[in-house]
Amino acid sequence: MRFAIFVFRKHLFFLILLALLFLSLPIGAAISQAAEKKKQAGQAPMRFIIVRSLLCMEDCPEWISAEGRITTDTPGQLRKILKKIGDRKLPVVFQSEGGEVDAAYAMGRIIRKAGLETAVGGTRLKDCPADDTRCAAAIEKDGSSVGVTYSDGAYCFSACPLAFAGGTSRVSSQWAFIGVHQITTVYKRERVSYRIEYKIVNGKKTEISRKEVGRKSAGQSSSTKLGKKAAAALTGYLKEMGVSADLIGLMMSTPPDRITIVPPADALRMGLNTDMLAYNEWPGMPLCVAGAATDAACHGHSAVEAAGAPATADTSEKQPTTLPMDFLLMYHGNCQEECTQWISAEGDITPDTPARLAAILKTLGERKLPLVLQSNGGDMDAAFAMGRVIRAAGLETSIGRTRLPNCPTLDPRCKASMAKSGPTEGEVSAGGAYCLSTCTLVLMSGTPRIVGYSDIGLVRPTTAEDRKFFAYFDEMGVNAESFETMMLATSIERKNIPRSQALELGIVNGIIPYGDEPGDRLCGPDAKESLRCPRKAEAEIAPVAAASN
């Protein structure tokens, strides 16, 4: 090490040394962040938009749509949007593949301090195309817009669940995804050059000043092992937010290039979710307050109504009022070419429903079309009878919403679009569909019985109904003992059942393949032979082993 020395004789015992010294010092700057999937590199930084619901005329609910990658700048952007809305407590609706952990911590604390609710959901702004659901043209100069939220396929991955955990109420639906994986700590190394001045007194060197004169990158390394400081930060944050430390085990067991989806039941058990959205609730709805009107635009109606109520098997009175179940013979596509057909069954199950089902099956003769259900449930004995009719006919069952063309959103199977004779044109989808209470008794009769991202619900029978209830389970090949054990673990009237648990119990025995919809796979009798409609084609079902919650 060389340095220049200038000696000035000012005192007999003192020498002043002015040294020009350049040192190269490695600095390990540890930056804690969630490992992101490769496609995240192209995801835009998170942007916040204040959105007003499109589905109302006055007193419209509003929410903060938060979509994109979480960066170091995101907490600051969140503070700006909260300052803009003042005292209004709008829910924050997340859709994000993740980002930086420290920024997610900061966001969660900002949200908790402001007393805001969070949800997992995507936002679709008015008049935006399908491939750009938050298009710039739909956003006003003040940053607000009009639109709707959706759950089907929405996601909150990587570091996003940490920000989501900040909500005073935290909700998602069974057809949205919360996913976690390991936290990766990235160590960045730099070479820093300094100009340092020393003085020497009685032969001893003492530093006078230090000034940085250069900085150069020296590479980086990463590790998925949580250091003591990072582990303490994560544990402390989850405790602060009321989330179980069990989430850490799930995170650390998943490599950074993969995502583990947190099952709804586990999300509730760990406190990551405080509730699940029902089939008729959407992300961005505020939590219902005590005494909320049944038609109020808020989530958690059933929890408010059911408080302290005795468990009962028929909860159809607790559900939104609908019409008795009707059956429509449906088709989708050009029936001279690749038309598919199914039977749509929607509405409440009443004592005369089995007879009407038998009548429509009689008109079909030997044709075995899939039966697609959407129902709040209803009469238990009628559900048993329907199930036996379906099992005897060897029909496939699934859950799905059927929509007819030119029908309004609030009346998706309007009479004006129903065919006067023959099949009716329409479309079917699993997302947002539901089969609750005794409807699930009908669902479990199918051969096969399959499900997509739909809501399955079943309840504990009364003591008087036990014998015939579980006898029906045995008849349909469903594990009655496991179901009873599951139901004893909850005091909720209507039990929402995750798909993985429905598979395990035998309520369903397959998952609808990706890209397919319930019932929309069997071709009509007049369809020409093609790749989609081979002769004597049978519906394909994803193997149970491939199913995930």
Side-chain angles (χ1 to χ4, degrees), residues 174-177 258-264 451-454 498-503 508 510-512 514 542-549:
Q174 291 197 43
W175 45 92
F177 304 98
R258 300 182 65 184
I259 288 288
T260 290
I261 302 301
V262 184
V451 67
Y453 292 109
S454 302
R499 291 191 303 161
S500 59
Q501 204 160 28
L503 281 165
V508 297
I511 297 297
I512 295 174
Y514 178 78
V544 171
S548 61
N549 194 34

Side-chain angles (χ1 to χ4, degrees), residues 424-464:
T424 295
E425 181 183 5
E427 296 181 350
V428 64
S429 63
Y434 52 90
C435 184
L436 308 174
S437 187
T438 54
C439 173
T440 302
L441 299 174
V442 179
L443 173 70
M444 67 175 66
S445 67
T447 54
R449 44 195 182 273
I450 56 179
V451 67
Y453 292 109
S454 302
D455 201 357
I456 305 174
L458 194 54
V459 296
R460 185 189 304 118
T462 64
T463 303

Side-chain angles (χ1 to χ4, degrees), residues 219-510:
Q220 66 179 34
S221 61
S222 62
S223 174
T224 57
K225 293 183 178 180
L226 279 182
K228 289 183 178 180
K229 187 176 180 180
L234 178 57
T235 303
Y237 177 80
L238 293 178
K239 184 177 181 180
E240 181 183 345
M241 297 301 158
V243 179
S244 170
D246 290 350
L247 183 64
I248 299 176
L250 197 61
M251 293 170 65
M252 299 313 295
S253 65
T254 307
D257 60 343
R258 300 182 65 184
I259 288 288
T260 290
I261 302 301
V262 184
D266 289 346
L268 286 168
R269 176 182 58 80
M270 291 186 289
L272 186 57
N273 273 12
T274 57
D275 198 4
M276 296 297 295
L277 291 173
Y279 68 92
N280 59 343
E281 297 170 345
W282 41 267
M285 273 187 164
L287 179 65
C288 292
V289 298
T294 55
D295 60 349
C298 57
H299 72 83
H301 284 289
S302 59
V304 174
E305 295 170 3
T312 176
D314 185 2
T315 62
S316 59
E317 292 182 0
K318 294 288 183 183
Q319 306 306 318
T321 302
T322 56
L323 298 173
M325 181 172 284
D326 66 339
F327 299 94
L328 286 178
L329 177 61
M330 301 297 305
Y331 78 90
H332 179 218
N334 183 347
C335 273
Q336 296 304 313
E337 295 178 1
E338 296 189 344
C339 158
T340 57
Q341 293 190 335
W342 69 96
I343 303 168
S344 172
E346 297 194 11
D348 290 339
I349 299 170
T350 63
D352 64 343
T353 304
R356 287 189 284 110
L357 172 62
I360 193 170
L361 295 184
K362 187 175 181 179
T363 66
L364 296 176
E366 297 298 319
R367 296 177 59 202
K368 297 182 182 295
L369 294 185
L371 184 71
V372 183
L373 297 157
Q374 176 158 275
S375 173
N376 296 316
D379 187 275
M380 180 179 288
D381 289 328
F384 291 154
M386 287 182 68
R388 293 181 175 113
V389 169
I390 291 167
R391 179 60 60 91
L395 303 185
E396 170 192 307
T397 57
S398 59
I399 308 172
R401 297 180 299 167
T402 296
R403 293 185 177 275
L404 277 55
N406 304 316
C407 285
T409 302
L410 298 179
D411 186 14
R413 52 200 289 136
C414 59
K415 291 185 178 180
S417 292
M418 292 183 186
K420 293 181 179 180
S421 62
T424 295
E425 181 183 5
E427 296 181 350
V428 64
S429 63
Y434 52 90
C435 184
L436 308 174
S437 187
T438 54
C439 173
T440 302
L441 299 174
V442 179
L443 173 70
M444 67 175 66
S445 67
T447 54
R449 44 195 182 273
I450 56 179
V451 67
Y453 292 109
S454 302
D455 201 357
I456 305 174
L458 194 54
V459 296
R460 185 189 304 118
T462 64
T463 303
E465 295 164 335
D466 264 357
R467 181 171 296 179
K468 61 182 180 181
F469 188 87
F470 289 114
Y472 179 82
F473 267 57
D474 292 336
E475 182 181 344
M476 296 299 159
V478 179
N479 192 326
E481 184 177 348
S482 295
F483 173 76
E484 188 172 20
T485 301
M486 178 189 73
M487 293 307 297
L488 289 174
T490 178
S491 60
I492 301 174
E493 282 192 42
R494 187 189 73 206
K495 174 66 179 179
N496 287 332
I497 305 175
R499 291 191 303 161
S500 59
Q501 204 160 28
L503 281 165
E504 183 181 350
L505 294 171
I507 291 173
V508 297
N509 59 10

